[in-house]
Amino acid sequence: MTTDKQEKINNNPSERSAKTRQLLGMKGAAPGETSIWKIRLQLMKPITWIPLIWGVVCGAASSGEYTWTLENVLKAATCMLLSGPILVGYTQTLNDFYDRDIDAINEPYRPIPSGAISVPQVVTQILLLLFAGLGLSYVLDRWAGHDFPTITCIALGGTFLAYIYSAPPLKLKKNGWLGNYALGASYIALPWWTGHALFGELNPTIMLLTLFYSLAGLGIAVVNDFKSVEGDRQLGLQSLPVMFGVGTAAWICVLMIDIFQAGIAAYLISIHQNLYAAILILLIIPQITFQDMYFLRDPLKNDVKYQASAQPFLVLGMLVAGLALGHAVY
């Protein structure tokens, strides 16, 4: 039998939406969750797993070696589990731990500032996810037959980057350029390298191209800064909206997204992958349209709407680039 409060939520679409946002770790969440497992999931922000999972797909495509066998499907699924729920879960939980003061200002419904979970419980979750991620990365190296533990090294680098992004004294997120590029590289380059290394041989060309692509990811990361301008300003964090103002930062954001995707398209033309380059350019056009319709007009109000509208075209463009690289001889 449900309680009166649960019945009210079930009958109210806006309250159901707020509960869903809470579980996914999204802006506009509802407070008051009591299930410890839902709270732990909220800390891991499931909505942020998707780009990392997709990055693995792009890496597998760029390897040129992926085939649809049962073993390869299982390898890819395990790699997605590593890159998404486990290591992104670690990163997001760690970030919430070190951001609990700023979240108390910007997002007081988050689990730690709301008191829904204790600090020792959060630390335990961070450590379990960290060791699970490193252990699973080593399993993938053995499964792929690597003499050198490439995937384990990527995981070590990624977890270290996550730590210095969130934790003092470096706390890269204090600087809008360094922090957002670290975030962009974590969401594009690192899972791409992992998927590529699982099925093929990771090489400098792929590493440099994906680091270049990550500059578009920097622009995407800046979108998330608009929701926390006031808290960032109070705590002295130099996000781009704080440094340059909301309007200028919005333009920096969209130019980074568009220019560096166009740069990848230009590279595809240079290696004679003209059809893939044309498709990538066509996928940039709707992103520019949504930037004009939503984001540039009011980035504080329309950040989530813009992301929901434009980012599917960006991630499809990533797959197009991955397929082109897998098809090319480099």
Side-chain angles (χ1 to χ4, degrees):
M1 181 181 294
T2 59
T3 64
D4 291 340
K5 182 178 179 180
Q6 288 172 321
E7 289 177 356
K8 182 179 179 182
I9 289 172
N10 291 336
N11 294 327
N12 189 325
S14 63
E15 291 194 33
R16 287 202 304 271
S17 175
K19 295 295 285 184
T20 301
R21 287 173 176 272
Q22 179 192 43
L23 192 61
L24 294 176
M26 296 173 65
K27 181 180 177 182
E33 182 59 65
T34 56
S35 167
I36 188 62
W37 297 110
K38 288 184 179 180
I39 292 166
R40 290 190 182 281
L41 188 62
Q42 184 186 357
L43 275 174
M44 295 163 65
K45 292 187 180 177
I47 195 67
T48 64
W49 301 349
I50 299 170
L52 280 289
I53 291 170
W54 189 255
V56 171
V57 175
C58 296
S62 69
S63 74
E65 300 292 334
Y66 183 84
T67 56
W68 288 97
T69 65
L70 177 59
E71 182 181 13
N72 282 348
V73 169
L74 291 174
K75 279 184 184 177
T78 305
C79 193
M80 291 174 186
L81 175 65
L82 168 69
S83 296
I86 295 178
L87 290 185
V88 179
Y90 156 80
T91 299
Q92 295 293 354
T93 307
L94 184 73
N95 187 62
D96 265 29
F97 175 77
Y98 284 107
D99 270 9
R100 55 193 184 276
D101 292 333
I102 195 169
D103 282 345
I105 299 170
N106 293 321
E107 300 177 272
Y109 53 80
R110 296 293 303 158
I112 302 174
S114 69
I117 189 170
S118 69
V119 168
Q121 288 175 309
V122 175
V123 172
T124 300
Q125 180 164 323
I126 291 168
L127 294 175
L128 286 174
L129 289 169
L130 172 62
F131 290 117
L134 296 178
L136 190 56
S137 64
Y138 181 73
V139 168
L140 284 172
D141 273 319
R142 295 297 299 270
W143 198 351
H146 291 162
D147 295 325
F148 180 82
T150 307
I151 296 173
T152 304
C153 287
I154 295 171
L156 281 168
T159 53
F160 177 71
L161 185 62
Y163 178 78
I164 63 174
Y165 172 81
S166 297
L170 293 179
K171 201 173 179 73
L172 297 181
K173 69 182 298 180
K174 290 192 296 185
N175 181 284
W177 294 109
L178 290 176
N180 284 318
Y181 183 69
L183 203 58
S186 297
Y187 273 69
I188 294 179
L190 295 183
W192 196 311
W193 295 356
T194 306
H196 190 106
L198 185 60
F199 297 103
E201 184 176 347
L202 188 59
N203 58 70
T205 300
I206 290 295
M207 295 179 74
L208 290 173
L209 281 173
T210 51
L211 287 172
F212 181 86
Y213 218 146
S214 297
L215 289 164
L218 186 157
I220 292 295
V222 173
V223 176
N224 296 317
D225 289 339
F226 289 90
K227 68 182 180 183
S228 56
V229 175
E230 186 56 38
D232 290 347
R233 187 178 290 116
Q234 289 183 32
L235 295 178
L237 298 181
Q238 294 299 304
S239 67
L240 266 62
V242 171
M243 287 193 287
F244 297 104
V246 169
T248 301
W251 272 104
I252 292 172
C253 173
V254 300
L255 288 173
M256 295 288 289
I257 292 169
D258 299 339
I259 289 171
F260 290 99
Q261 287 182 90
I264 295 293
Y267 176 78
L268 296 183
I269 292 172
S270 76
I271 59 171
H272 310 295
Q273 298 298 313
N274 296 337
L275 176 60
Y276 290 106
I279 295 171
L280 179 54
I281 291 168
L282 289 174
L283 289 169
I284 297 171
I285 294 172
Q287 295 177 61
I288 295 172
T289 302
F290 289 122
Q291 287 161 3
D292 178 61
M293 285 175 58
Y294 299 133
F295 192 66
L296 291 174
R297 298 188 184 191
D298 191 343
L300 297 178
K301 179 181 178 183
N302 295 328
D303 55 342
V304 174
K305 184 183 291 186
Y306 164 68
Q307 287 178 311
S309 303
Q311 284 197 21
F313 296 97
L314 182 140
V315 298
L316 282 174
M318 289 170 57
L319 181 58
V320 168
L323 289 168
L325 294 168
H327 186 260
V329 177
Y330 52 85

